[in-house]
Amino acid sequence: QVPLVESGGGLVQAGGSLRLSCVVSRNDFSRLVVGWYCQAPGKQRELVATISSGGDIVYSDSVKDRFTISRDNAKKTVFLQMDDLRPEDTAVYFCNEAPTRRQLVIGPRRWGRGTQVTVSS
């Protein structure tokens, strides 16, 4: 099984919405912190949202009040609802998992392919 599979990206106009999904192939998914990152061309990967096993959520300032992270433990899936998209949100979006949020901040070692989000003005 591929450990991380992101989907849901696409091309959307500014102000539009997308919903990203990521299936995480971990039997202990419900106990993990999961998060979404974005990487714009020429920039470092940035952690934009995390959700803990208990439902605690943290957003970066750049997406707060526009993006919503959620999870479905039964389906081992994490979602990112992206509303009011802006051209500067254009990036490849990746998900990842770790036992703690600190480890997501540090940066996991393995990554999926990500899903491309392109926002036109």
Side-chain angles (χ1 to χ4, degrees), residues 47-64:
L47 181 60
V48 298
T50 60
I51 182 168
S52 73
S53 58
D56 295 324
I57 292 173
V58 180
Y59 295 106
S60 68
D61 288 343
S62 62
V63 307
K64 194 174 182 180

Side-chain angles (χ1 to χ4, degrees), residues 1-7 19-36 51 70-80 95-97 110:
Q1 276 182 318
V2 178
L4 300 160
V5 181
E6 301 93 343
S7 63
R19 188 182 192 223
L20 308 184
S21 301
C22 174
V23 178
V24 180
S25 297
R26 288 282 300 263
N27 289 332
D28 58 347
F29 175 83
S30 65
R31 297 196 294 271
L32 299 171
V33 182
V34 287
W36 283 96
I51 182 168
S70 60
R71 64 191 294 164
D72 183 332
N73 289 336
K75 296 182 179 179
K76 300 179 184 178
T77 301
V78 58
F79 304 97
L80 188 68
C95 70
N96 223 308
E97 45 78 15
R110 66 174 189 181

Side-chain angles (χ1 to χ4, degrees), residues 38-45 88:
C38 69
Q39 186 168 22
K43 294 188 177 181
Q44 288 190 331
R45 200 167 292 173
E88 54 263 39

